[in-house]
Amino acid sequence: MPRLTRLTPDTAVGASRDLLADLVSRHGRIGDMVSTMAHSPAVLGGYLQLSRAMGRAKLDRRIGERISIAVQVQQGCGLCLDAHVGAARSLGVDEEEIQLARAGTSADPAIAAVVALALQVYREPASITDEQVTALREYGYSDRAIAEVVGVVALNVLTGAFNLLAGLTPESATRA
């Protein structure tokens, strides 16, 4: 059962009402997480800005979804995990790779290395070494793509932690 209520453009106030109204006008509906985030215009606005910014990332989305799966397995947000598994499938990531992502790895050594880095960013960023970053460059990752790993992890921490706090689960999600 959700711990926080969902808001609509009619029930939200101030900046949150404006943000929700804009989202509804552009997309036709809003999801449970976004409607619940509207309790804080700062959280909702920050999420929307980071989400839009990461939409412009150069890191391959199929890799980003594997990172998201690995992080959400660790964080424990079933709602996010389901969404990222679905997104990975829609991008053509096969079931074996999805299962490997759940385990924090990949059959492809280059992807395994970047997923491992992402999990390290999530768990213990102070332990990242120069050698790890050099190895990622040797696999062909640009400094931009390496930096974007932090953005993917940060977005997952925000959404997963929020959903867990709010009590949003796959079972509680409204199906629209």
Side-chain angles (χ1 to χ4, degrees):
M1 171 122 184
R3 294 183 186 111
L4 303 177
T5 58
R6 295 166 182 90
L7 298 176
T8 67
D10 293 331
T11 59
V13 296
S16 290
R17 178 181 48 235
D18 297 340
L19 287 168
L20 291 179
D22 178 59
L23 289 168
V24 169
S25 72
R26 288 189 293 125
H27 302 288
R29 67 177 191 88
I30 50 175
D32 292 338
M33 181 187 72
V34 169
S35 66
T36 307
M37 278 183 175
H39 285 284
S40 169
V43 172
L44 178 56
Y47 161 72
L48 292 172
Q49 288 177 1
L50 182 55
S51 183
R52 285 183 195 122
M54 292 311 300
R56 296 185 297 273
K58 294 298 182 190
L59 183 66
D60 185 299
R61 282 202 54 222
R62 292 168 297 191
I63 294 171
E65 291 303 335
R66 290 176 198 163
I67 289 169
S68 296
I69 290 167
V71 169
Q72 291 305 339
V73 165
Q74 294 298 306
Q75 188 160 274
C77 179
L79 189 59
C80 291
L81 181 60
D82 285 358
H84 290 294
V85 166
R89 285 182 180 134
S90 74
L91 293 169
V93 177
D94 65 41
E95 292 302 316
E96 180 181 343
E97 276 296 309
I98 289 171
Q99 288 307 312
L100 288 169
R102 287 176 182 268
T105 193
S106 171
D108 180 325
I111 296 172
V114 79
V115 170
L117 175 74
L119 288 173
Q120 200 167 351
V121 166
Y122 175 72
R123 291 186 198 132
E124 51 184 334
S127 68
I128 295 168
T129 66
D130 294 343
E131 294 76 22
Q132 286 174 280
V133 175
T134 298
L136 288 171
R137 287 188 186 117
E138 289 171 359
Y139 280 123
Y141 293 102
S142 66
D143 286 359
R144 178 177 178 169
I146 295 167
E148 289 171 349
V149 169
V150 176
V152 173
V153 172
L155 189 56
N156 275 279
V157 169
L158 173 62
T159 58
F162 183 84
N163 286 336
L164 291 166
L165 167 78
L168 299 176
T169 65
E171 297 76 31
S172 72
T174 57
R175 307 287 182 219

